[in-house]
Amino acid sequence: MIVLKIIWLSVFSLTALFIITKLIGNKQISQLSVFDYIIGITMGNIAAEMATSITDSWVEPLVAMMVYGFAAFIISIISIKSLKARKLLWGRPLIIYQSGKLYEKNLFKAKLDITEFQMMCRNNGYHNLADIGTATLEPNGQLSFIPVAARRPVTPEDLNLFPKQEGIVVNIILDGKILETNLKYLSKNKIWLQEQLNSQGFTDEKNVSLATCDSSGDVSVYVKMPKSETKDLYE
């Protein structure tokens, strides 16, 4: 009986946490502010306490989760509306390096030393600081770079080339199922899709793991492989 109660409370707390998180808004871990991070840890701990509260009531932890979730929602609205609140909650970008100069005061503010800064540069493909025009530490803790003009990648515009703008690539078959809504978005139908599959040697969409259509109308088909064929090249 106790085990069943733990299972029930675990599922319930996970569901409540999921709903509250969706109401707050989706953010990647790297996009979380310090406040979001603190709220996330606290709500996770409360959910864990709720799941294991065998003798205690689960109502109190649920109310606490709702309070924290509401607080996070209100703070996010305030940060959108107020620049001062945004700076307080998110912080501001710091220029760490520019034109051959390291700004030690900003390194100190960011709690970074030169070795860590060099490591972050290498992780982003810059092994030589001379290749960097400006390095800025963003509020999410990641470095963004403006490369030296003479060493940045060549663009089509530099070569007086003007390639056609690409659009989104739309999934039209996923896990063997035709996505009819996406076909309608493309102003296509199943007959057109079957013709595209036949032209590439596929007769049944159930054998297709993924099929996509780009803005030019070109269809790419990716076949399902048998489970016995694992293609484990890195054993």
Side-chain angles (χ1 to χ4, degrees):
M1 190 65 181
I2 293 177
V3 174
L4 290 177
K5 186 175 182 180
I6 292 176
I7 293 174
W8 152 246
L9 288 174
S10 298
V11 173
F12 180 77
S13 64
L14 183 62
T15 303
L17 189 61
F18 176 78
I19 293 173
I20 293 172
T21 304
K22 294 295 287 185
L23 291 174
I24 295 172
N26 296 331
K27 290 183 179 180
Q28 297 179 0
I29 297 299
S30 61
Q31 295 174 330
L32 296 179
S33 67
V34 174
F35 184 81
D36 293 329
Y37 180 71
I38 293 171
I39 288 289
I41 291 177
T42 306
M43 288 179 62
N45 287 336
I46 294 173
E49 289 289 338
M50 181 193 300
T52 55
S53 58
I54 306 301
T55 56
D56 301 328
S57 173
W58 52 268
V59 177
E60 290 84 353
L62 178 61
V63 172
M65 287 174 60
M66 293 176 65
V67 170
Y68 274 98
F70 181 72
F73 176 76
I74 292 299
I75 291 297
S76 66
I77 296 299
I78 293 174
S79 65
I80 291 172
K81 300 291 185 180
S82 171
L83 181 59
K84 291 182 179 180
R86 197 180 312 158
K87 289 180 179 179
L88 176 64
L89 294 170
W90 277 86
R92 64 181 70 188
L94 296 172
I95 295 178
I96 304 298
Y97 174 88
Q98 189 173 44
S99 302
K101 298 176 182 178
L102 275 167
Y103 292 89
E104 294 189 5
K105 186 176 180 179
N106 287 347
L107 277 171
F108 179 77
K109 286 181 180 179
K111 304 300 186 292
L112 282 175
D113 58 41
I114 295 177
T115 303
E116 288 177 303
F117 170 66
Q118 287 180 305
M119 179 187 68
M120 296 173 74
C121 291
R122 290 193 296 270
N123 286 337
N124 284 274
Y126 293 95
H127 292 261
N128 190 343
L129 295 183
D131 295 336
I132 302 172
T134 303
T136 305
L137 184 69
E138 304 295 347
N140 62 2
Q142 295 184 347
L143 280 176
S144 59
F145 300 91
I146 299 176
V148 173
R151 297 176 184 176
R152 66 174 174 81
V154 177
T155 65
E157 189 176 2
D158 293 332
L159 303 175
N160 291 322
L161 299 176
F162 302 96
K164 183 180 177 181
Q165 177 64 47
E166 295 182 358
I168 62 173
V169 176
V170 180
N171 293 341
I172 51 179
I173 297 178
L174 192 63
D175 292 331
K177 297 180 181 178
I178 297 175
L179 305 180
E180 296 187 26
T181 302
N182 290 0
L183 278 178
K184 290 180 180 178
Y185 170 79
L186 296 169
S187 300
K188 304 295 183 182
N189 54 37
K190 289 184 177 181
I191 297 176
W192 171 85
L193 176 58
Q194 193 59 56
E195 290 175 352
Q196 297 296 318
L197 294 177
N198 291 339
S199 67
Q200 299 191 38
F202 299 96
T203 57
D204 191 350
E205 70 272 5
K206 293 181 180 179
N207 296 325
V208 176
S209 179
L210 174 67
T212 62
C213 181
D214 62 21
S215 56
S216 299
D218 295 328
V219 175
S220 300
V221 182
Y222 306 91
V223 66
K224 286 184 178 179
M225 297 302 294
K227 292 182 179 179
S228 58
E229 298 184 28
T230 59
K231 203 70 173 181
D232 291 329
L233 302 178
Y234 301 102
E235 291 182 334

